Amino acid sequence: MTKDIKDQIAGKLKEVEGKVTGDKLREAEGKTQQAKGKAEKKINDVKKKLEKKK
């Protein structure tokens, strides 16, 4: 499992935990971590496409 997917999963868990407990900060941390994972995935996808073109 790649780091970007781990960040997305961990972020979702934090977000849900924050919603369940009413902890807005934890929920926001989760959303931020998910966004980071999605951004890393897009970057990695672009890198792979560029490597294929070489």
Side-chain angles (χ1 to χ4, degrees):
M1 187 177 297
T2 60
K3 183 168 176 6
D4 53 14
I5 294 173
K6 287 179 185 178
D7 276 336
Q8 289 180 49
I9 293 169
K12 187 64 177 179
L13 291 172
K14 285 180 185 178
E15 178 187 359
V16 171
E17 177 187 14
K19 284 182 181 180
V20 170
T21 61
D23 186 345
K24 296 292 182 186
L25 179 60
R26 186 73 170 171
E27 186 178 343
E29 287 174 351
K31 288 180 181 182
T32 301
Q33 190 171 2
Q34 285 180 73
K36 177 185 170 197
K38 289 177 184 177
E40 287 175 351
K41 180 170 180 1
K42 287 183 181 186
I43 290 168
N44 289 333
D45 289 347
V46 169
K47 285 180 180 179
K48 287 178 185 177
K49 285 181 183 178
L50 290 173
E51 288 175 0
K52 285 183 181 179
K53 289 185 178 185
K54 287 184 178 181

